[in-house]
Amino acid sequence: MVNKKTTFLFLFLFSFAIKAQDIITKNLLKDVLVEIEKKHQVTFTYSDKDLESVYIDKPDDSLSLSETISYLESVTIFNFKILDNRFITVSYLKKKIPICGTIVNSNTLEPLVLATILVNNTSNGTTSNTNGEFNINSVPANANITISYVGYKPIILPAKDLFSQNLCKEIYLESLSEELSEVIIPNFLTTGLQKNIDGGTVLKTKNFGILPGLIEPDILKTIKVLPGVESVNESVSNINVRGGTNDQNLMLWDGIKMYHTSHFFGLISAYNPYLTEKATVTKNGTSTKFSDGVSSTVNMQTNNKITNTFSGGAGFNLLSADAFLQAPITKKLEIHASARRSYTDFFDTPTYDKYFSRSFQENSIASNKESEASTDFYFYDYSFKVLYDINKNHSLRANLISIKNNLEYTEEYTNNGSTVEENSNLKQENLGANISWNANWSPKFSTELSTFISDYTINSSDFNRETDQFQTQFNKVLESEIRLITNHHFSDVFQLTNGAVFNEIGVSNKTTVNAPTFSKSVKEVLLKSALFSEVVYRKNNTYARVGFRANYFHDFNKLIIEPRINLRQQLYNSLFLKLEGEFKNQTTAQKIDFQDNFLGIEKRRWILADNDKTPIIKSKQVSFGAEYSKNNLQIDLTGFYKFVDGITVANQGFYNNVQTLNSIGNYKVKGIEFLINKRTKKLSSWLSYSFTENNYTFETFTPDTFPSNLDITHSFSSAINYNITNNFKLSLGAILRSGTPYTKPVKDNETIQDGNRVIVNYDTPNKERHSNFFRINASGSYNFNFTKNLKSTIRVGFTNISNRKNIINTYYIVDENNTDNVKEINTYSLPFTPNLSFRINF
């Protein structure tokens, strides 16, 4: 588990980064003058505005006052006039000054050749050379300089800031299409969804348009529209990417690994989308920077640039209210914050009633008809980020995020003439923090030093009135990591990234029962470190990213090498071929215990690999496809094969007679993903189809190979977005997919005796199929402005318009009235559910 060593790493990193400011920056001229005043007992008189943002190297302490004044005049544009023994005036002396600079791309740090530099209101100017450098003599000291380059945002700087004796400074130009340098499809399905050149899908929440049924850019709900991304039980806490379980998705929020992703037990995302700037989903060909997540990586990032603009927003829907704020403190310091809380513990809404019945339909809360029973449920999340730019080349970022669900269930009943009150409660929380230091040491070399800690806890107690049994469960994950990444930009064509990681993770599980008395506690810790390297080649019509990651597990004395590849080749103006492949591993998984849960809703417990009964999960995946994109028409066809080894029965969520067995196996998935999307100025329509075969292999079972619990053979989705006006938008879509497998009892022999118990006698695993899943969703959005700077949006969403009863899970229990028979228990998806949101932004 994380101990004092981890705390020391955090403090060391933060103090070291702060100390770096003194090491790598010049000194503000005004501060230098204060020191000279104290040393020589003199007073400088000057205008604060003239000396604003003027930095110099400190004069040598051995210099006399006259020598110090001479030095100041040589490195600044000011005249220092000694009036008497005490007072010295500071004023502009030089009418004309020499200026210089180096112009570079703010993203790649590559020099920009032939950039234009003009002295405003004159004909004087020049262009940058092959190194991005320029020099101009005899520039008015009070002039402004405009620097521009085709395809980049022009900037205006005071000439005195470029005074050449102050050393030639680097000037950063931002591309007008900075995102498009990495993005090949700027609007994919809807505005705010983009396709990266490496195959990843990016959700830009600020530009989010509209999708069927959604009232906000819920990150995890949005990615479910992508081919190959499903949720067999419709929850965002159970996202299945190319046949994988939800715990095989690496969830990152500003570099922090998150172990809890949802509110309302999976029905909405736990990440406030209005402060999360973008989320990138990668299904294959992942960068070697990332480990874990053998099925996918979801990398969520907040705004990482100081905006120097006070902005924010607030809103509510029929479940919760939220607010976010971006507040500059100084030009170099800014704070971003967000908070959201449900009001479901104060009053009910139609949306809350639908969500509540969906979540608790299998248990005593839903079935309890007594007025003495009460439920108190709420959730909240908040995040906080500090952005500090030490200078143009060095920056600090610190993040904090907290997510919490809280449920309390109270039941009163009469026992021997007296009233008895029994309480059950569930608390689920994930707290994460991150500190990073980004440094550009030269135009071609930069580093990132970061560390994070993630603390996940679930603590529950459950009273079962029927058995008079009280049970507690506790699960805790504590993970810390420190990482160093270096980036070498050799040219516009080649980029080399190297890195080193040290990671410590601890997992605790504890269960107690009062009748019969039982207690079990397990605590495990795993240390691992890794080295990774990858090269990116990008020229003309070719993009290639190739690398490897070497992972060493200290406790197991085990080394795992993981190669990664991501290739994209443009054949013609509109046709691309893509090849992706990766080896990955992960050391955490969720144990899903059907029998041992809290009120039927929370069955998942994180466990840690022990290299024995719970092995390290490993995956191998390859995909190949073609993409056609022209005139706002996109066609994408991809075939893939994935093999995942080291899974256990406990983390697959079986609802049959194998759920209590200890067995290690694998699953193989092969499939095809197809998407066609046509966009016009007012219309975006698409149709997607996925075909997969997903089979388990457990050698100790008979038969040893059978369909996966997550096997969805066919999946169709289609939608149409229509912009009636620029402010009024509608969206309508449908989902049709194959039913998931389940297991029935043996016909005419449904139950068997197991010691003193009668249990369900299940047939061959996953032999049966649920009916097809079908749903129609719709939404609408209207934007209007109260003032020029105060904007607002109203959205309405409708889930399952036809109110179809889709079965998403089936299991059986022994009939308590006749132990020779069984009862079928079905879980259904959300019925017709409305929702509404209102937001203002400024």
Side-chain angles (χ1 to χ4, degrees), residues 43-105:
T43 299
F44 290 95
T45 59
Y46 51 82
S47 167
D48 286 333
K49 185 177 180 181
D50 288 345
L51 271 62
E52 190 177 78
S53 302
V54 178
Y55 291 85
I56 66 168
D57 289 321
K58 288 176 62 176
D60 194 290
D61 288 338
S62 64
L63 297 179
S64 66
L65 177 61
S66 60
E67 291 172 333
T68 301
I69 295 301
S70 297
Y71 170 80
L72 293 176
E73 288 184 335
S74 69
V75 297
T76 70
I77 62 174
F78 300 105
N79 175 41
F80 293 81
K81 184 177 182 181
I82 301 176
L83 300 179
D84 51 35
N85 293 334
R86 180 169 179 81
F87 292 98
I88 303 172
T89 61
V90 183
S91 60
Y92 282 114
L93 169 67
K94 301 158 185 170
K95 302 286 185 179
K96 300 289 183 76
I97 59 174
I99 64 172
C100 66
T102 302
I103 304 173
V104 298
N105 182 310

Side-chain angles (χ1 to χ4, degrees), residues 95-99 119 122 124 136-141:
K95 302 286 185 179
K96 300 289 183 76
I97 59 174
I99 64 172
V119 181
T122 74
N124 193 11
I136 306 179
N137 294 317
S138 299
V139 175

Side-chain angles (χ1 to χ4, degrees), residues 276-526:
T276 306
E277 183 183 41
K278 67 178 181 179
T280 305
V281 183
T282 306
K283 294 185 282 188
N284 193 8
T286 316
S287 168
T288 57
K289 298 176 185 178
F290 304 108
S291 185
D292 296 319
V294 296
S295 281
S296 76
T297 298
V298 180
N299 185 20
M300 293 166 279
Q301 297 170 287
T302 60
N303 186 4
N304 209 41
K305 292 184 178 180
I306 292 179
T307 62
N308 286 318
T309 303
F310 186 82
S311 62
F316 68 88
N317 55 43
L318 297 185
L319 292 174
S320 62
D322 75 278
F324 73 95
L325 186 69
Q326 297 183 355
I329 307 302
T330 68
K331 289 184 177 181
K332 293 187 175 185
L333 179 65
E334 190 163 296
I335 293 175
H336 299 172
S338 74
R340 173 172 55 170
R341 192 191 189 281
S342 67
Y343 41 75
T344 53
D345 48 337
F346 300 123
F347 60 91
D348 299 347
T349 64
T351 306
Y352 171 75
D353 291 338
K354 299 292 186 180
Y355 277 28
F356 187 85
S357 61
R358 160 65 182 85
S359 297
F360 298 99
Q361 60 186 289
E362 300 175 23
N363 55 63
S364 57
I365 290 183
S367 61
N368 197 315
K369 306 299 183 182
E370 301 181 22
S371 59
E372 293 83 0
S374 63
T375 305
D376 186 17
F377 170 75
Y378 68 89
F379 63 80
Y380 68 78
D381 58 74
Y382 63 83
S383 63
F384 189 76
K385 184 170 186 175
V386 178
L387 302 89
Y388 178 56
D389 286 348
I390 300 172
N391 59 23
K392 287 284 187 180
N393 296 322
H394 298 262
S395 62
L396 289 174
R397 301 293 185 260
N399 306 279
L400 177 71
I401 183 171
S402 179
I403 299 167
K404 186 173 184 178
N405 286 320
N406 190 88
L407 170 67
E408 295 182 3
Y409 175 65
T410 303
E411 185 178 0
E412 293 183 359
Y413 60 96
T414 302
N415 186 11
N416 296 326
S418 61
T419 301
V420 179
E421 182 179 283
E422 297 292 351
N423 297 308
S424 298
N425 64 76
L426 170 67
K427 295 181 179 180
Q428 200 169 20
E429 186 172 13
N430 201 162
L431 180 68
N434 170 277
I435 298 175
S436 64
W437 173 27
N438 294 275
N440 296 321
W441 301 103
S442 74
K444 295 186 177 182
F445 179 69
S446 61
T447 61
E448 178 185 350
L449 181 62
S450 64
T451 182
F452 80 78
I453 185 169
S454 184
D455 184 356
Y456 168 79
T457 303
I458 181 169
N459 200 347
S460 65
S461 61
D462 182 18
F463 174 74
N464 189 323
R465 177 180 171 184
E466 295 178 356
T467 61
D468 199 30
Q469 186 181 77
F470 185 76
Q471 174 181 285
T472 65
Q473 291 184 349
F474 175 80
N475 180 216
K476 185 179 184 67
V477 182
L478 194 55
E479 180 174 2
S480 65
E481 179 177 286
I482 184 167
R483 181 171 70 166
L484 174 65
I485 299 176
T486 66
N487 293 294
H488 301 258
H489 294 266
F490 294 107
S491 66
D492 289 334
V493 175
F494 280 106
Q495 176 184 341
L496 176 65
T497 299
N498 297 306
V501 180
F502 180 78
N503 179 282
E504 181 185 52
I505 180 171
V507 178
S508 298
N509 275 286
K510 185 177 182 180
T511 302
T512 64
V513 181
N514 69 331
T517 302
F518 171 79
S519 178
K520 182 180 180 181
S521 181
V522 178
K523 180 179 179 181
E524 296 175 311
V525 179
L526 181 62

Side-chain angles (χ1 to χ4, degrees), residues 118 125 215 251 255 331 397 507 525 611 633 786 802 820 833:
L118 290 176
I215 57 165
M251 296 287 178
K331 289 184 177 181
R397 301 293 185 260
V507 178
V525 179
N611 208 34
L633 172 66
F786 287 109
S802 64
D820 291 334
T833 304

Side-chain angles (χ1 to χ4, degrees), residues 181-235:
S181 63
E182 295 291 335
V183 173
I184 58 168
I185 303 177
N187 287 316
F188 167 66
L189 304 185
T190 187
T191 54
L193 271 180
Q194 302 171 340
K195 285 280 286 185
N196 264 355
I197 194 170
D198 65 356
T201 302
V202 180
L203 168 62
K204 302 277 288 185
T205 56
K206 185 177 181 180
N207 302 322
F208 179 75
I210 191 171
L211 287 174
L214 297 190
I215 57 165
E216 58 186 8
D218 186 302
I219 293 167
L220 300 184
K221 282 188 176 181
T222 300
I223 67 176
K224 291 198 296 180
V225 305
L226 304 177
V229 181
E230 305 282 354
S231 176
V232 294
N233 67 353
E234 76 177 350
S235 75

Side-chain angles (χ1 to χ4, degrees), residues 19 489 727:
K19 184 64 177 176
H489 294 266
N727 296 324

